[in-house]
Amino acid sequence: MATMTKTIYILNGPNLNLLGQREPEIYGSQTLGDVQSLCKTACESNGYTLEFLQTNIEGELVNHIQEARTKACGLIINPAAYTHTSIALYDALKTLTIPIIEVHISQPAARESFRQVSYVAQAATGTISGLGVNSYLLAITAVINKLDNA
Ligand code: CA2
């Protein structure tokens, strides 16, 4: 039997490289580097490898999602503003058969009207939002539970 890859992809969209540097009242004071370290520890302590990426470019997110088709056993994505606009991300995510968890640091449902639609949610297995950077750790638990109970 082929061995299943044990790599979890975490993709981050535009402006998340600024995490911890602006709007701490909405997004907290931890940096994306801090989030990456927390996620690495959470994955490795459960026997998984982490691939953690950020890009401001929509097409690069599409490329990473396509890469995940063969290289990942689960995908976690914070698409940032592309959540609310991107049919390209929706189409790419629909080609995956692995668990997909959409994460948000804030709670878009409690924010502006333009954040009330998520194209990504329509392709995701589940969504975790509003829990600060802990949303990422809960998403890792969700992916691992899905895989271990499959
Ligand atoms: O709450 C989230 O995680 C969001 O995905 C963040 C996006 C927003 O467009 C989504 O509606 C919800 C914005 C990311 C911007 O990141 C910044 C980080 C620090 C300072 C300024 C922006």
Side-chain angles (χ1 to χ4, degrees):
M1 194 173 93
T3 326
M4 183 187 81
T5 165
K6 292 206 84 178
T7 302
I8 295 174
Y9 267 43
I10 301 188
L11 305 182
N12 294 281
N15 298 306
L16 286 164
N17 54 311
L18 299 177
L19 205 62
Q21 296 174 41
R22 288 179 38 216
E23 301 188 79
E25 64 293 350
I26 301 178
Y27 300 113
S29 55
Q30 284 175 292
T31 66
L32 198 63
D34 295 332
V35 178
Q36 180 170 2
S37 305
L38 292 166
C39 290
K40 186 172 181 325
T41 303
C43 287
E44 290 178 359
S45 62
N46 285 286
Y48 289 84
T49 302
L50 175 66
E51 186 72 22
F52 190 96
L53 300 151
Q54 188 276 331
T55 173
N56 292 327
I57 300 168
E58 185 176 15
E60 286 184 1
L61 286 170
V62 170
N63 285 343
H64 291 312
I65 293 167
Q66 291 187 9
E67 220 174 82
R69 285 161 52 84
T70 53
K71 296 196 173 138
C73 59
L75 182 130
I76 294 166
I77 182 165
N78 184 345
Y82 292 138
T83 306
H84 317 297
T85 62
S86 181
I87 297 168
L89 289 186
Y90 168 83
D91 284 342
L93 290 167
K94 286 295 275 185
T95 71
L96 301 184
T97 55
I98 57 178
I100 301 167
I101 308 293
E102 174 188 6
V103 301
H104 298 287
I105 298 165
S106 69
Q107 170 65 310
R111 299 182 65 190
E112 302 94 329
S113 58
F114 59 81
R115 296 188 206 276
Q116 301 311 309
V117 168
S118 169
Y119 289 100
V120 167
Q122 298 173 58
T125 312
T127 301
I128 298 172
S129 65
L131 301 167
V133 300
N134 201 31
S135 293
Y136 285 82
L137 300 178
L138 293 166
I140 291 169
T141 302
V143 165
I144 293 174
N145 280 352
K146 267 268 175 203
L147 295 168
D148 289 353
N149 299 317

